[in-house]
Amino acid sequence: MPILLNPGKRADLAALLRRQCASPAHPLGAELPRLSPTQLAQVSAAARGCGVRLWVNSLLEGLVAGYRGDRDAPRDPDAVWGRMYRDGVSIIQTDEPEALLRYRATLH
């Protein structure tokens, strides 16, 4: 699973992902570094277009700017993890797996 590097938080991550998808070693997923909500929207669209899952780390604040993290997620899972799911993230790294599983069960 490639990590889409984002030096200076200005990289065209969607273009990087599309290039990865066009390679013979088509990824199943991509790990996202620190990025802005605008970058996440662009990467999500690219990921949907090539059938790639997106992995975000919610352990810390600010890995997706403004999305908060594990400190807030158990109190308001829809505002943190739900927002990530709605915006195209399907793999979430967390120190709160039980809380995430309880939240996911409410989505079905």
Side-chain angles (χ1 to χ4, degrees):
M1 183 179 313
I3 300 171
L4 301 179
L5 297 179
N6 193 14
K9 299 180 189 157
R10 292 184 299 270
D12 186 345
L13 298 176
L16 288 171
L17 183 58
R18 284 191 294 273
R19 279 197 301 277
Q20 288 283 332
C21 290
S23 76
H26 186 281
L28 298 176
E31 181 178 353
L32 301 179
R34 293 186 184 271
L35 71 163
S36 71
T38 301
Q39 286 175 306
L40 178 56
Q42 294 165 350
V43 171
S44 290
R48 279 190 306 277
C50 60
V52 169
R53 297 180 67 190
L54 298 178
W55 173 15
V56 166
N57 180 330
S58 75
L59 299 173
L60 306 170
E61 297 281 326
L63 289 172
V64 179
Y67 278 55
R68 301 184 296 176
D70 278 0
R71 185 177 52 167
D72 297 312
R75 288 189 306 275
D76 194 354
D78 192 60
V80 179
W81 297 321
R83 184 177 180 191
M84 290 178 186
Y85 279 131
R86 288 186 295 276
D87 290 348
V89 173
S90 58
I91 304 169
I92 298 174
Q93 180 178 348
T94 179
D95 278 341
E96 300 289 342
E98 294 86 5
L100 177 56
L101 289 172
R102 281 192 303 273
Y103 171 70
R104 274 191 40 199
T106 69
L107 300 177
H108 300 291

